[in-house]
Amino acid sequence: MEEWTEYIIGDVCNTISDTYKGNAEEVVLINTSDVLDGKCLNHIKTPNRDLKGQFKKTFRKDDILYSEIRPANKRYAYIDFDATDYIASTKLMVIRRNERILPQYLFYILKSKAVLDELQMLAESRSGTFPQITFSEVANMEIKLPPIEQQRRILEVLKSLDDKIEVNRRINENLEQQAQALFKSWFVDFEPFKDGEFVESELGMIPKGWIIKEIEDIAEISKVSINPQKQPQTEFKHYSIPSYDDGMKPEIQLGEEIKSNKYIIKNKMTLFSKLNPRIKRVWYLDKLDNNSICSTEFVPYKAIEDSKSSFIYSLINSQGFYDFVMSMVNGATGSHQRFHPEESLRYKIAYNETYSLKYCEIATPIINKILDNRNESRRLATLRDTLLPKLMSGKLKVNE
């Protein structure tokens, strides 16, 4: 039987603070907001000049970026790519394993619920503006570690689940692109109607028989709100900005845990984030449980006729609508930007009743498949999170 050894995390890894000294013309800057739940979200190059003082740290493949602020927000990433000319913020720890542990095994430890919960508690116990940790607090946490070969077998189990979740994500991305390509072809470029007669309109030339409509002619914004704290022991499914970013998984919370008013949401609504709309967050909802609510930082759009819900979703998800919203953004730069939801209802589109319904006949099965894949991924993530502590404590054995 293979022996498990007790360590502290600091025995199996170090924090790296190597300063970037390259002279590339362009670099990629990674802030805490650019990492989430294992992924590095930003790969956009920027000129290597006049960089803010916080961007200093280099990192490399198989390193782990781990935010010092609010561990529970899952601002961490496993680096599975060549990170040449990437520079991390000083608010991100760069954690590098040693020979005792496989890099991905270390990452699974650091993102486990037990570790995150303890680090969040330590962060909140400190005085200061933000709940924050240091590497020394991570390093002092106790772990049990099997030999390398057993680590590999455990990783095979966990990665098989994560790989399927990633396959579902890629399938959904492709399905979204199909629905958007069809929407653009019909309602923006009018490709199926090129051989027909066109007429002038305020949006330019459109097929004869089509009309110009604003969103408010075919959809409305729901504003029915609720104060969950008045139902302290009721279990709510909370569709929030963080839960969207965390794989579109609504958070289950008791009413007493939710500190402000929320919107009541219903089936066939489309949520669009008004908070920092530069980051596009569009969430189609169907087959909701009772007591489903969403953050007031989302705008809940609902088709006036349910039969056109897929059309409204694709319209809200379109590049044209996004550009229109961004033209209305006000407020400070960065994450505090917003727009007035009522103004978005004035977005205009060339519209045809017959083809909007035909579009829904094609798009609805696509969207339903996306929802099914998303639900399967949630179940797989729950299974993975259930297995993780058992596998990593040795309570559940993996045979060769």
mmCIF file of all heavy atoms in Angstrom, residues 60-86:
data_model
loop_
_atom_site.group_PDB
_atom_site.id
_atom_site.type_symbol
_atom_site.label_atom_id
_atom_site.label_comp_id
_atom_site.label_asym_id
_atom_site.label_seq_id
_atom_site.Cartn_x
_atom_site.Cartn_y
_atom_site.Cartn_z
ATOM 1 N N ARG A 60 5.349 31.187 -15.876
ATOM 2 C CA ARG A 60 5.592 30.262 -16.977
ATOM 3 C C ARG A 60 4.585 29.122 -16.932
ATOM 4 O O ARG A 60 3.784 29.005 -15.996
ATOM 5 C CB ARG A 60 7.020 29.729 -16.917
ATOM 6 C CG ARG A 60 7.303 28.828 -15.730
ATOM 7 C CD ARG A 60 8.794 28.559 -15.589
ATOM 8 N NE ARG A 60 9.058 27.517 -14.592
ATOM 9 C CZ ARG A 60 10.253 27.311 -14.051
ATOM 10 N NH1 ARG A 60 11.282 28.063 -14.418
ATOM 11 N NH2 ARG A 60 10.408 26.349 -13.157
ATOM 12 N N LYS A 61 4.648 28.285 -17.956
ATOM 13 C CA LYS A 61 3.735 27.143 -18.035
ATOM 14 C C LYS A 61 3.856 26.283 -16.779
ATOM 15 O O LYS A 61 4.952 26.059 -16.265
ATOM 16 C CB LYS A 61 4.046 26.310 -19.275
ATOM 17 C CG LYS A 61 3.035 25.197 -19.532
ATOM 18 C CD LYS A 61 3.327 24.484 -20.841
ATOM 19 C CE LYS A 61 2.282 23.392 -21.088
ATOM 20 N NZ LYS A 61 2.528 22.655 -22.343
ATOM 21 N N ASP A 62 2.699 25.807 -16.291
ATOM 22 C CA ASP A 62 2.548 24.973 -15.094
ATOM 23 C C ASP A 62 2.616 25.759 -13.788
ATOM 24 O O ASP A 62 2.480 25.170 -12.711
ATOM 25 C CB ASP A 62 3.549 23.810 -15.048
ATOM 26 C CG ASP A 62 3.248 22.758 -16.100
ATOM 27 O OD1 ASP A 62 2.063 22.573 -16.425
ATOM 28 O OD2 ASP A 62 4.200 22.136 -16.603
ATOM 29 N N ASP A 63 2.801 27.090 -13.859
ATOM 30 C CA ASP A 63 2.654 27.904 -12.661
ATOM 31 C C ASP A 63 1.168 28.103 -12.358
ATOM 32 O O ASP A 63 0.299 27.857 -13.206
ATOM 33 C CB ASP A 63 3.303 29.286 -12.848
ATOM 34 C CG ASP A 63 4.824 29.237 -12.756
ATOM 35 O OD1 ASP A 63 5.363 28.225 -12.277
ATOM 36 O OD2 ASP A 63 5.463 30.225 -13.177
ATOM 37 N N ILE A 64 0.895 28.565 -11.150
ATOM 38 C CA ILE A 64 -0.469 28.871 -10.722
ATOM 39 C C ILE A 64 -0.527 30.336 -10.315
ATOM 40 O O ILE A 64 0.295 30.789 -9.502
ATOM 41 C CB ILE A 64 -0.890 27.969 -9.539
ATOM 42 C CG1 ILE A 64 -0.924 26.506 -9.975
ATOM 43 C CG2 ILE A 64 -2.251 28.405 -8.987
ATOM 44 C CD1 ILE A 64 -0.924 25.527 -8.820
ATOM 45 N N LEU A 65 -1.465 31.081 -10.892
ATOM 46 C CA LEU A 65 -1.711 32.461 -10.469
ATOM 47 C C LEU A 65 -2.852 32.433 -9.463
ATOM 48 O O LEU A 65 -3.899 31.841 -9.715
ATOM 49 C CB LEU A 65 -2.079 33.343 -11.668
ATOM 50 C CG LEU A 65 -1.053 33.419 -12.802
ATOM 51 C CD1 LEU A 65 -1.525 34.402 -13.871
ATOM 52 C CD2 LEU A 65 0.326 33.814 -12.281
ATOM 53 N N TYR A 66 -2.644 33.108 -8.329
ATOM 54 C CA TYR A 66 -3.586 32.992 -7.214
ATOM 55 C C TYR A 66 -3.749 34.359 -6.572
ATOM 56 O O TYR A 66 -2.798 34.939 -6.055
ATOM 57 C CB TYR A 66 -3.021 31.991 -6.200
ATOM 58 C CG TYR A 66 -4.038 31.231 -5.381
ATOM 59 C CD1 TYR A 66 -4.672 30.104 -5.886
ATOM 60 C CD2 TYR A 66 -4.335 31.632 -4.075
ATOM 61 C CE1 TYR A 66 -5.575 29.377 -5.122
ATOM 62 C CE2 TYR A 66 -5.239 30.907 -3.312
ATOM 63 C CZ TYR A 66 -5.861 29.788 -3.833
ATOM 64 O OH TYR A 66 -6.753 29.081 -3.079
ATOM 65 N N SER A 67 -4.969 34.874 -6.600
ATOM 66 C CA SER A 67 -5.198 36.228 -6.093
ATOM 67 C C SER A 67 -5.031 36.295 -4.579
ATOM 68 O O SER A 67 -5.461 35.405 -3.840
ATOM 69 C CB SER A 67 -6.601 36.697 -6.468
ATOM 70 O OG SER A 67 -6.864 37.966 -5.894
ATOM 71 N N GLU A 68 -4.441 37.394 -4.117
ATOM 72 C CA GLU A 68 -4.313 37.635 -2.684
ATOM 73 C C GLU A 68 -5.625 38.128 -2.072
ATOM 74 O O GLU A 68 -5.798 38.102 -0.861
ATOM 75 C CB GLU A 68 -3.227 38.687 -2.430
ATOM 76 C CG GLU A 68 -1.836 38.259 -2.871
ATOM 77 C CD GLU A 68 -0.811 39.359 -2.652
ATOM 78 O OE1 GLU A 68 -1.228 40.491 -2.288
ATOM 79 O OE2 GLU A 68 0.382 39.109 -2.832
ATOM 80 N N ILE A 69 -6.547 38.589 -2.922
ATOM 81 C CA ILE A 69 -7.766 39.243 -2.434
ATOM 82 C C ILE A 69 -8.961 38.308 -2.582
ATOM 83 O O ILE A 69 -9.157 37.706 -3.643
ATOM 84 C CB ILE A 69 -8.014 40.559 -3.206
ATOM 85 C CG1 ILE A 69 -6.830 41.508 -3.012
ATOM 86 C CG2 ILE A 69 -9.304 41.231 -2.753
ATOM 87 C CD1 ILE A 69 -6.858 42.724 -3.918
ATOM 88 N N ARG A 70 -9.756 38.182 -1.541
ATOM 89 C CA ARG A 70 -11.001 37.404 -1.535
ATOM 90 C C ARG A 70 -10.847 36.035 -2.222
ATOM 91 O O ARG A 70 -11.347 35.815 -3.328
ATOM 92 C CB ARG A 70 -12.119 38.195 -2.208
ATOM 93 C CG ARG A 70 -12.521 39.463 -1.476
ATOM 94 C CD ARG A 70 -13.783 40.063 -2.089
ATOM 95 N NE ARG A 70 -14.178 41.277 -1.411
ATOM 96 C CZ ARG A 70 -13.831 42.510 -1.788
ATOM 97 N NH1 ARG A 70 -13.081 42.667 -2.869
ATOM 98 N NH2 ARG A 70 -14.235 43.571 -1.115
ATOM 99 N N PRO A 71 -10.190 35.089 -1.597
ATOM 100 C CA PRO A 71 -9.986 33.758 -2.210
ATOM 101 C C PRO A 71 -11.275 33.112 -2.693
ATOM 102 O O PRO A 71 -11.268 32.375 -3.692
ATOM 103 C CB PRO A 71 -9.346 32.954 -1.079
ATOM 104 C CG PRO A 71 -8.711 33.979 -0.194
ATOM 105 C CD PRO A 71 -9.565 35.197 -0.261
ATOM 106 N N ALA A 72 -12.388 33.351 -1.979
ATOM 107 C CA ALA A 72 -13.655 32.705 -2.355
ATOM 108 C C ALA A 72 -14.151 33.132 -3.730
ATOM 109 O O ALA A 72 -15.012 32.468 -4.317
ATOM 110 C CB ALA A 72 -14.727 33.001 -1.302
ATOM 111 N N ASN A 73 -13.624 34.238 -4.269
ATOM 112 C CA ASN A 73 -14.045 34.707 -5.600
ATOM 113 C C ASN A 73 -13.424 33.908 -6.739
ATOM 114 O O ASN A 73 -13.693 34.180 -7.912
ATOM 115 C CB ASN A 73 -13.717 36.194 -5.771
ATOM 116 C CG ASN A 73 -14.674 37.085 -5.010
ATOM 117 O OD1 ASN A 73 -15.617 36.620 -4.391
ATOM 118 N ND2 ASN A 73 -14.421 38.387 -5.031
ATOM 119 N N LYS A 74 -12.561 32.952 -6.399
ATOM 120 C CA LYS A 74 -11.982 32.019 -7.382
ATOM 121 C C LYS A 74 -11.154 32.715 -8.461
ATOM 122 O O LYS A 74 -11.147 32.309 -9.623
ATOM 123 C CB LYS A 74 -13.076 31.157 -8.031
ATOM 124 C CG LYS A 74 -13.841 30.308 -7.034
ATOM 125 C CD LYS A 74 -14.842 29.382 -7.731
ATOM 126 C CE LYS A 74 -15.569 28.504 -6.722
ATOM 127 N NZ LYS A 74 -16.505 27.580 -7.376
ATOM 128 N N ARG A 75 -10.463 33.754 -8.060
ATOM 129 C CA ARG A 75 -9.581 34.441 -8.996
ATOM 130 C C ARG A 75 -8.218 33.747 -8.993
ATOM 131 O O ARG A 75 -7.260 34.181 -8.350
ATOM 132 C CB ARG A 75 -9.455 35.924 -8.618
ATOM 133 C CG ARG A 75 -10.748 36.703 -8.777
ATOM 134 C CD ARG A 75 -11.156 36.803 -10.237
ATOM 135 N NE ARG A 75 -12.432 37.492 -10.433
ATOM 136 C CZ ARG A 75 -12.969 37.738 -11.609
ATOM 137 N NH1 ARG A 75 -12.346 37.338 -12.708
ATOM 138 N NH2 ARG A 75 -14.129 38.362 -11.714
ATOM 139 N N TYR A 76 -8.177 32.624 -9.706
ATOM 140 C CA TYR A 76 -6.942 31.865 -9.831
ATOM 141 C C TYR A 76 -6.928 31.194 -11.192
ATOM 142 O O TYR A 76 -7.970 31.036 -11.844
ATOM 143 C CB TYR A 76 -6.803 30.823 -8.715
ATOM 144 C CG TYR A 76 -8.039 29.999 -8.445
ATOM 145 C CD1 TYR A 76 -8.507 29.057 -9.360
ATOM 146 C CD2 TYR A 76 -8.746 30.145 -7.251
ATOM 147 C CE1 TYR A 76 -9.638 28.293 -9.112
ATOM 148 C CE2 TYR A 76 -9.880 29.386 -6.993
ATOM 149 C CZ TYR A 76 -10.317 28.461 -7.916
ATOM 150 O OH TYR A 76 -11.436 27.713 -7.672
ATOM 151 N N ALA A 77 -5.733 30.798 -11.645
ATOM 152 C CA ALA A 77 -5.616 30.156 -12.967
ATOM 153 C C ALA A 77 -4.428 29.212 -12.970
ATOM 154 O O ALA A 77 -3.375 29.500 -12.386
ATOM 155 C CB ALA A 77 -5.448 31.198 -14.067
ATOM 156 N N TYR A 78 -4.623 28.084 -13.648
ATOM 157 C CA TYR A 78 -3.522 27.162 -13.935
ATOM 158 C C TYR A 78 -2.996 27.509 -15.326
ATOM 159 O O TYR A 78 -3.762 27.565 -16.296
ATOM 160 C CB TYR A 78 -4.013 25.713 -13.898
ATOM 161 C CG TYR A 78 -2.937 24.718 -14.278
ATOM 162 C CD1 TYR A 78 -1.943 24.389 -13.366
ATOM 163 C CD2 TYR A 78 -2.901 24.143 -15.542
ATOM 164 C CE1 TYR A 78 -0.942 23.491 -13.703
ATOM 165 C CE2 TYR A 78 -1.902 23.245 -15.885
ATOM 166 C CZ TYR A 78 -0.932 22.929 -14.965
ATOM 167 O OH TYR A 78 0.068 22.051 -15.309
ATOM 168 N N ILE A 79 -1.704 27.751 -15.431
ATOM 169 C CA ILE A 79 -1.121 28.201 -16.699
ATOM 170 C C ILE A 79 -0.743 26.980 -17.536
ATOM 171 O O ILE A 79 0.234 26.278 -17.243
ATOM 172 C CB ILE A 79 0.109 29.100 -16.454
ATOM 173 C CG1 ILE A 79 -0.268 30.294 -15.568
ATOM 174 C CG2 ILE A 79 0.676 29.591 -17.790
ATOM 175 C CD1 ILE A 79 -1.426 31.125 -16.095
ATOM 176 N N ASP A 80 -1.533 26.745 -18.574
ATOM 177 C CA ASP A 80 -1.320 25.575 -19.433
ATOM 178 C C ASP A 80 -0.823 25.988 -20.814
ATOM 179 O O ASP A 80 -1.008 25.263 -21.788
ATOM 180 C CB ASP A 80 -2.599 24.748 -19.546
ATOM 181 C CG ASP A 80 -3.766 25.557 -20.100
ATOM 182 O OD1 ASP A 80 -3.594 26.759 -20.387
ATOM 183 O OD2 ASP A 80 -4.862 24.972 -20.254
ATOM 184 N N PHE A 81 -0.194 27.170 -20.901
ATOM 185 C CA PHE A 81 0.281 27.681 -22.191
ATOM 186 C C PHE A 81 1.637 28.353 -22.003
ATOM 187 O O PHE A 81 2.068 28.631 -20.882
ATOM 188 C CB PHE A 81 -0.726 28.686 -22.767
ATOM 189 C CG PHE A 81 -1.027 29.849 -21.846
ATOM 190 C CD1 PHE A 81 -0.249 31.003 -21.854
ATOM 191 C CD2 PHE A 81 -2.098 29.782 -20.951
ATOM 192 C CE1 PHE A 81 -0.513 32.062 -21.008
ATOM 193 C CE2 PHE A 81 -2.378 30.839 -20.094
ATOM 194 C CZ PHE A 81 -1.585 31.986 -20.120
ATOM 195 N N ASP A 82 2.309 28.614 -23.107
ATOM 196 C CA ASP A 82 3.583 29.333 -23.086
ATOM 197 C C ASP A 82 3.313 30.784 -22.691
ATOM 198 O O ASP A 82 2.631 31.514 -23.414
ATOM 199 C CB ASP A 82 4.236 29.262 -24.466
ATOM 200 C CG ASP A 82 5.552 30.024 -24.542
ATOM 201 O OD1 ASP A 82 6.005 30.537 -23.496
ATOM 202 O OD2 ASP A 82 6.122 30.132 -25.653
ATOM 203 N N ALA A 83 3.835 31.217 -21.551
ATOM 204 C CA ALA A 83 3.528 32.545 -21.022
ATOM 205 C C ALA A 83 4.647 33.554 -21.271
ATOM 206 O O ALA A 83 4.799 34.526 -20.527
ATOM 207 C CB ALA A 83 3.239 32.454 -19.526
ATOM 208 N N THR A 84 5.403 33.341 -22.328
ATOM 209 C CA THR A 84 6.442 34.316 -22.687
ATOM 210 C C THR A 84 5.815 35.686 -22.918
ATOM 211 O O THR A 84 4.821 35.815 -23.639
ATOM 212 C CB THR A 84 7.187 33.859 -23.952
ATOM 213 O OG1 THR A 84 7.761 32.577 -23.717
ATOM 214 C CG2 THR A 84 8.291 34.856 -24.323
ATOM 215 N N ASP A 85 6.393 36.705 -22.306
ATOM 216 C CA ASP A 85 5.950 38.102 -22.435
ATOM 217 C C ASP A 85 4.553 38.339 -21.857
ATOM 218 O O ASP A 85 3.845 39.258 -22.271
ATOM 219 C CB ASP A 85 6.019 38.576 -23.898
ATOM 220 C CG ASP A 85 7.441 38.587 -24.437
ATOM 221 O OD1 ASP A 85 8.351 38.906 -23.659
ATOM 222 O OD2 ASP A 85 7.646 38.243 -25.611
ATOM 223 N N TYR A 86 4.185 37.532 -20.893
ATOM 224 C CA TYR A 86 3.024 37.801 -20.046
ATOM 225 C C TYR A 86 3.541 38.394 -18.733
ATOM 226 O O TYR A 86 4.568 37.946 -18.211
ATOM 227 C CB TYR A 86 2.243 36.527 -19.740
ATOM 228 C CG TYR A 86 1.314 36.066 -20.834
ATOM 229 C CD1 TYR A 86 1.804 35.639 -22.069
ATOM 230 C CD2 TYR A 86 -0.065 36.037 -20.638
ATOM 231 C CE1 TYR A 86 0.956 35.201 -23.073
ATOM 232 C CE2 TYR A 86 -0.927 35.600 -21.640
ATOM 233 C CZ TYR A 86 -0.407 35.184 -22.844
ATOM 234 O OH TYR A 86 -1.263 34.760 -23.835
#
